[in-house]
Amino acid sequence: MRSPTRQHSRPPSSPRREIKETLDARLTMLGADKYRVNQYEVNEEVGRGSFGAVYRVIDTITNQEYAMKEISKSRLRRQNNSQLLRARAPGGNGIRGLGGVKGSANKNPIDFIRPEIAILKKLHHVNVADLVEVLDDPEGDSIYMVLEWCAHGVLMKVSLDEPAVPYSEEQCRLYFRDLILGIEYLHSQGVVHRDIKPDNLLLDEDDVLKIVDFGVSEMFERDREEGDMVIRHAGSPAFIAPEQCAIPRVEYSGRAADIWSMGVTLYCLITGKLPFTGESQVEIYSSIELGDYSPLPVGCSPSLQRLLKLLLEHDFRRRITMKELRNDDWVTAAGEDELLSYEENVSDGVSKVTGPDLAAAIRGVAS
């Protein structure tokens, strides 16, 4: 299977358009199960997260399809209060993120999605889903993020209870190359995703892989490999790295943890199953710490099996790096299918997310 042209060269990209902000959005009921938020007519639910649902919507002015992420302010506030209680408990850690330690039970709940919006406003890459508009309903409990629509949906739906149909090894290689380019771009800009999994990887109508959901992402100094150390837990239990399971908590590399999650994701694509399982979160963590996963199916190439071991290296200091990963034999078909250069891939650089960026992420939203 021939790899897509985008993995070898990139035409000059158009400038990142300014993200629209609408701070007086209005919800209009169109019937028992139908409603509209400003010009966006809400259709079926396509996903669900901790703070709300994701819907397919139609812009009734342009007739364009988008995804709309609806976020509950009350759920954000409850999450904030529970985090504060944990942080103040004996031995508790402060809650680190783009804004530093979060510190007030009376904080505007919108402040807890400012980092995600501030990051998305700055990113511009073919393998990262674009943010289009942010809308706040001042009379209601919801804030809305309108995002690029990915018509082919999630890359794979896999869970502890539901295995999925695996992809061929070659199709996995092509999707994984898209993932490498997207994560390499994020890391080059100082962004660690911290929740890489098939659910957060979507396919557009041209089967281009798009990375979504930056709700637990963090941003660091771009040019310092050692400057990405974190201690806060984040991500989905079956996809987190062994260093994130450690008790007591230890500092670890955010970039290396992303690479581990890429390895778990690759295993899922090849087998249709999760490599680390258990009846409870504690059992899943135990499985991860033991590094005990079933071998890949018979017929998988030796180069793929070798790469998976490098991705799922227990010691994050010895885990394969992004530079090594992009040049790996399986990824490049033994050098016959090389990726476009690092310089070309990261050429659309962003500036660091600052305090003023966070403040301007959603301007003028009332508490």
Side-chain angles (χ1 to χ4, degrees), residues 141-156:
D141 182 50
S142 295
I143 186 165
Y144 305 91
M145 294 168 61
V146 179
L147 299 141
E148 176 182 0
W149 173 246
C150 295
H152 291 176
V154 297
L155 182 58
M156 176 181 279

Side-chain angles (χ1 to χ4, degrees), residues 110-340:
I110 302 307
D111 290 340
F112 298 97
I113 60 169
R114 284 184 190 276
E116 179 177 9
I117 293 170
I119 287 173
L120 281 169
K121 280 185 170 185
K122 286 178 172 271
L123 298 179
H124 188 34
H125 191 273
V126 66
N127 297 121
V128 177
D130 280 338
L131 176 65
V132 176
E133 183 172 358
V134 180
L135 304 100
D136 177 53
D137 176 4
E139 303 299 322
D141 182 50
S142 295
I143 186 165
Y144 305 91
M145 294 168 61
V146 179
L147 299 141
E148 176 182 0
W149 173 246
C150 295
H152 291 176
V154 297
L155 182 58
M156 176 181 279
K157 291 184 179 179
V158 59
S159 68
L160 291 169
D161 304 319
E162 280 191 54
V165 177
Y167 291 103
S168 70
E169 183 172 333
E170 180 60 10
Q171 185 63 69
C172 288
R173 190 181 74 88
L174 299 184
Y175 286 146
F176 197 67
R177 283 161 61 90
D178 264 351
L179 180 58
I180 289 171
L181 292 173
I183 298 298
E184 179 181 66
Y185 170 78
L186 295 177
H187 287 184
S188 76
Q189 310 307 317
V191 176
V192 289
H193 187 277
R194 306 186 75 214
D195 197 16
I196 300 165
K197 58 183 178 179
D199 268 359
N200 287 338
L201 305 174
L202 306 183
L203 298 172
D204 72 5
E205 61 184 3
D206 297 317
D207 253 10
V208 179
L209 182 145
K210 305 277 185 176
I211 301 166
V212 298
D213 201 341
F214 290 78
V216 295
S217 298
E218 295 203 31
M219 199 162 195
F220 300 92
E221 294 291 341
R222 283 187 300 186
D223 301 323
R224 293 180 56 208
E225 284 298 319
E226 72 280 7
D228 67 342
M229 302 301 285
V230 294
I231 195 167
R232 183 168 63 107
H233 286 191
S236 304
F239 291 84
I240 67 171
E243 58 269 22
Q244 295 172 278
C245 303
I247 299 174
R249 295 183 183 183
V250 297
E251 278 200 329
Y252 60 89
S253 162
R255 292 181 178 93
D258 272 357
I259 287 173
W260 171 279
S261 299
M262 291 172 69
V264 177
T265 296
L266 178 58
Y267 184 96
C268 292
L269 300 185
I270 289 287
T271 66
K273 301 175 183 177
L274 290 163
F276 306 107
T277 60
E279 295 298 320
S280 66
Q281 186 167 306
V282 171
E283 288 186 10
I284 293 171
Y285 284 179
S286 177
S287 177
I288 291 169
E289 289 183 303
L290 290 171
D292 185 18
Y293 60 89
S294 300
L296 292 179
V298 174
C300 286
S301 67
S303 59
L304 171 57
Q305 296 180 50
R306 175 184 168 277
L307 174 59
L308 196 67
K309 287 182 180 178
L310 296 173
L311 291 162
L312 299 182
E313 162 61 48
H314 194 277
D315 184 348
F316 72 85
R317 297 169 191 85
R318 297 169 53 195
R319 198 169 298 149
I320 191 170
T321 65
M322 189 60 72
K323 184 177 180 180
E324 294 166 335
L325 180 54
R326 66 162 15 255
N327 294 309
D328 179 82
D329 275 355
W330 183 76
V331 171
T332 65
E336 294 184 6
D337 190 22
E338 293 187 352
L339 286 166
L340 81 165

Side-chain angles (χ1 to χ4, degrees), residues 101-114:
V101 176
K102 318 290 187 186
S104 170
N106 298 318
K107 200 167 184 129
N108 184 341
I110 302 307
D111 290 340
F112 298 97
I113 60 169
R114 284 184 190 276

